[in-house]
């Protein structure tokens, strides 16, 4: 549940129970807590009703909104739908704590942005330090809320069992869901490995496109391919045209003549892609600090548009700028720990891609399963990852054998069974991965 959904649930909960407004106020809610103007206005309206001793229910709130101008509150249909957004009044206290923490962080971000602009405009360093310190104090004020006791735990449990928030995102493919279900929960960090050219990026892009088509926010951190190359691969996965046709357009040739019967599908996908909540950052050698800054800012921008960042792909670990450490393995471990912490902080599913060691070439060709020690830096990756899987295509380098199958070995699953193998249909011309 993102910030906007939390605000809707809080307002809906207040309209469902006569004592809920007092509970929300006691939990720290005020008009300034809300991110959206229409929610701030609606909170003020509800607070006025409470001060006057009037009932706070859907009918009274809608009538008051209509008298004052329903558009100020998002319209009567919007206001009347809010009680349906609250899973239960029992979760209201917990939702309010989440909203007040989010408000503190928004305020801190605004102060930091103002401080940077002030410094750019010639402001004094001392004033900027004071502003930054105040911003950090604002965030720190909410840090104690990470400690929860019985009553809060009960609210969190009730929220979990009465909503779909804690379930995985669905790929609408039985085999894909069975394999990647453990990956697609909020706050989980997973690693998918393969040898170069085996299809790990294709798998991640298939998942990303399915989720974006469902309206889930997706960010693809591509340190291997520029953004336009990723877009071409998304176009192929959609089925608009084979990847070879997309990549090999001769210079000077009219696009319609080159794409032929595929031209209409390419145009249609191009229009569709412009509407999807999918974002690509193709800066090479990204540091952990850069990744964090990018994702925090993107998540905030998406929230402001009523969207939510849910799925992040990092392509790939060995292309990132690793932290300084005694050796490469420790550096990879520090990066993965930071990524796992970031996935929890942002409440997103994060899938990092990784190279596998060359030694698997002969062993996998002979039918042996991919193992944890096949991952480069495996020991330190394993410490942080909730799930690890390895991809192999048996027919990729086998003369006379069809290259139409992709195998995925689950090497580790902290929240489910590991050691299983999944067989997928591989449509190489379109980079498509489907359950058999």
């Amino acid at each position: 549940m993102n910030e906007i959904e939390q605000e809707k649930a809080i307002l809906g909960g207040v309209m469902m129970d006569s004592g809920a407004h007092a509970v929300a106020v006691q939990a720290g809610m005020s008009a300034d807590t809300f991110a959206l103007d229409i929610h701030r206005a609606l909170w003020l309206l509800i607070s006025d009703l409470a001060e006057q001793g009037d009932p706070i229910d859907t009918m009274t709130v809608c009538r008051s909104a209509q008298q004052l101008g329903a558009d100020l509150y998002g319209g009567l249909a919007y206001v009347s739908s809010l009680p349906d957004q609250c899973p239960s009044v029992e979760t209201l206290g917990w939702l309010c704590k989440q909203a007040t923490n989010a408000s503190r962080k928004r305020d801190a971000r605004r102060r930091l942005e103002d401080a940077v602009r002030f410094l750019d405009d010639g402001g004094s360093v001392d004033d900027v330090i004071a502003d930054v310190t105040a911003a950090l104090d604002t965030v720190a004020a909410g840090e104690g809320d990470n400690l929860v006791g019985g009553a809060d735990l009960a609210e969190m449990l009730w929220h979990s069992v009465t909503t779909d928030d804690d379930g995985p995102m669905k790929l609408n493919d039985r085999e894909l869901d069975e394999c990647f279900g453990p990956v697609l929960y909020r706050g989980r960090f997973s690693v998918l490995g393969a040898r170069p050219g085996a299809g790990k990026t294709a798998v991640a892009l298939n998942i990303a496109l399915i989720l974006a088509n469902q309206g889930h926010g997706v960010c693809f951190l591509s340190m291997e391919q520029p953004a336009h190359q990723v877009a071409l691969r998304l176009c192929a996965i959609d089925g608009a045209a084979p990847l070879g046709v997309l990549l090999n357009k001769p210079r000077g040739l009219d696009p319609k003549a080159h794409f032929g019967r595929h031209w209409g599908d390419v145009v249609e996908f191009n229009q569709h892609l412009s509407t999807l909540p999918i974002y690509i950052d193709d800066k090479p050698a990204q540091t952990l600090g850069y990744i964090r800054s990018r994702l925090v800012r993107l998540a905030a921008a998406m929230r402001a548009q009523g969207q939510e960042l849910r799925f992040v792909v990092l392509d790939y670990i060995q292309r990132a700028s690793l932290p300084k450490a005694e050796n490469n393995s420790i550096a990879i471990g520090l990066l993965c720990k930071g990524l796992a912490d970031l996935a929890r902080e942002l409440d997103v599913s994060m899938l990092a891609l990784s190279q596998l060691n060359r030694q698997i070439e002969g062993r996998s060709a002979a039918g042996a399963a991919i193992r944890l020690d096949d991952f480069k830096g495996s020991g330190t990756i394993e410490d942080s990852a909730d799930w690890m899987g390895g991809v192999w295509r048996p027919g990729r380098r086998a003369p006379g054998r069809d290259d139409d199958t992709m195998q995925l070995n689950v090497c580790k699953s902290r929240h489910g069974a590991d050691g299983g193998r999944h067989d997928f249909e591989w449509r190489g011309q379109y980079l498509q991965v489907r359950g058999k």
Side-chain angles (χ1 to χ4, degrees), residues 366-409:
I370 294 172
R371 306 186 304 241
L372 281 174
D373 59 5
D374 292 323
F375 287 77
K376 292 186 175 181
S378 58
T380 52
I381 294 176
E382 185 184 355
D383 289 342
S384 299
D386 294 290
W387 180 98
M388 295 174 68
V391 167
W392 178 257
R393 299 207 320 267
R396 177 169 161 248
R397 293 181 178 172
R401 184 170 179 177
D402 292 336
D403 185 15
D404 58 2
T405 298
M406 176 178 284
Q407 296 175 350
L408 190 148
N409 290 105

Side-chain angles (χ1 to χ4, degrees), residues 50-190:
E51 188 174 340
Q52 296 164 16
D54 293 333
I56 303 173
D57 54 41
T58 305
M59 184 178 297
T60 305
V61 173
C62 285
R63 184 168 59 244
S64 299
Q66 189 171 22
Q67 291 171 352
L68 296 171
D71 288 345
L72 294 171
Y73 311 98
L76 291 181
Y78 183 79
V79 175
S80 63
S81 71
L82 291 175
D84 295 333
Q85 309 301 312
C86 184
S88 69
V89 178
E90 286 80 2
T91 66
L92 190 63
W94 178 73
L95 288 169
C96 290
K97 288 182 180 179
Q98 299 298 309
T100 53
N101 281 339
S103 176
R104 275 192 284 263
K105 290 178 180 178
R106 282 199 309 273
D107 182 55
R109 281 195 294 269
R110 283 194 294 268
R111 291 190 185 192
L112 291 171
E113 290 168 358
D114 290 343
V116 171
R117 282 194 292 269
F118 183 67
L119 186 61
D120 288 342
D121 292 339
S124 73
V125 174
D126 289 341
D127 288 341
V128 170
I129 291 174
D131 286 343
V132 171
T133 301
L136 295 174
D137 288 342
T138 298
V139 176
E143 291 301 311
D145 289 335
N146 288 337
L147 182 65
V148 294
D152 289 336
L153 284 172
E155 289 185 1
M156 294 168 69
L157 171 62
W158 191 251
H159 180 79
S160 295
V161 300
T162 57
T163 71
D164 294 328
D165 285 349
D166 293 329
M169 293 176 287
K170 296 295 185 182
L171 301 175
N172 299 324
D173 179 296
R174 186 186 61 80
E175 192 72 26
L176 285 172
D177 281 322
E178 183 179 331
C179 179
F180 291 102
V183 174
L184 298 177
Y185 282 82
R186 292 176 181 272
R188 291 191 183 175
F189 172 67
S190 305

Side-chain angles (χ1 to χ4, degrees), residues 97-357:
K97 288 182 180 179
Q98 299 298 309
T100 53
N101 281 339
S103 176
R104 275 192 284 263
K105 290 178 180 178
R106 282 199 309 273
D107 182 55
R109 281 195 294 269
R110 283 194 294 268
R111 291 190 185 192
L112 291 171
E113 290 168 358
D114 290 343
V116 171
R117 282 194 292 269
F118 183 67
L119 186 61
D120 288 342
D121 292 339
S124 73
V125 174
D126 289 341
D127 288 341
V128 170
I129 291 174
D131 286 343
V132 171
T133 301
L136 295 174
D137 288 342
T138 298
V139 176
E143 291 301 311
D145 289 335
N146 288 337
L147 182 65
V148 294
D152 289 336
L153 284 172
E155 289 185 1
M156 294 168 69
L157 171 62
W158 191 251
H159 180 79
S160 295
V161 300
T162 57
T163 71
D164 294 328
D165 285 349
D166 293 329
M169 293 176 287
K170 296 295 185 182
L171 301 175
N172 299 324
D173 179 296
R174 186 186 61 80
E175 192 72 26
L176 285 172
D177 281 322
E178 183 179 331
C179 179
F180 291 102
V183 174
L184 298 177
Y185 282 82
R186 292 176 181 272
R188 291 191 183 175
F189 172 67
S190 305
V191 179
L192 180 67
R195 290 295 298 156
K200 61 183 180 295
T201 301
V203 172
L205 285 174
N206 273 262
I207 296 172
L209 185 57
I210 292 171
L211 296 178
N213 279 329
Q214 296 174 11
H216 297 299
V218 173
C219 181
F220 199 93
L221 303 171
S222 178
M223 287 173 270
E224 184 175 30
Q225 298 172 349
H228 74 275
Q229 290 285 339
V230 177
L232 289 170
R233 283 157 175 77
L234 289 171
C235 188
I237 292 168
D238 181 75
L243 183 63
V245 175
L246 289 162
L247 293 177
N248 299 312
K249 188 181 85 67
R251 288 181 175 273
L253 182 64
D254 178 58
K256 290 184 181 179
H258 173 68
F259 287 103
R261 62 186 177 86
H262 301 295
W263 177 244
D265 292 332
V266 171
V267 171
E268 183 178 348
F269 177 74
N270 186 65
Q271 294 170 342
H272 176 59
L273 182 61
S274 69
T275 68
L276 295 180
I278 186 167
Y279 301 85
I280 300 169
D281 187 327
D282 61 359
K283 176 182 171 64
Q286 298 176 23
T287 65
L288 181 59
Y290 176 87
I291 292 168
R292 187 184 190 286
S293 175
R294 162 59 64 209
L295 295 181
V296 168
R297 286 186 286 121
L298 176 59
M302 294 185 72
R303 282 194 299 270
Q305 299 172 15
Q307 301 173 339
E308 183 181 16
L309 180 62
R310 287 295 309 275
F311 184 59
V312 175
V313 177
L314 184 142
D315 187 14
Y316 53 91
I317 288 173
Q318 288 78 15
R319 286 271 186 171
S321 180
L322 298 176
K324 292 183 178 179
E326 296 176 19
N327 56 54
N328 200 57
S329 180
I330 293 175
I332 288 175
L334 292 173
L335 174 66
C336 288
K337 182 182 184 303
L339 293 173
D341 291 343
L342 186 57
R344 285 193 60 192
E345 177 187 343
L346 296 180
D347 209 22
V348 300
S349 307
M350 185 178 295
L351 179 63
L353 307 184
S354 174
Q355 292 280 27
L356 296 182
N357 294 317

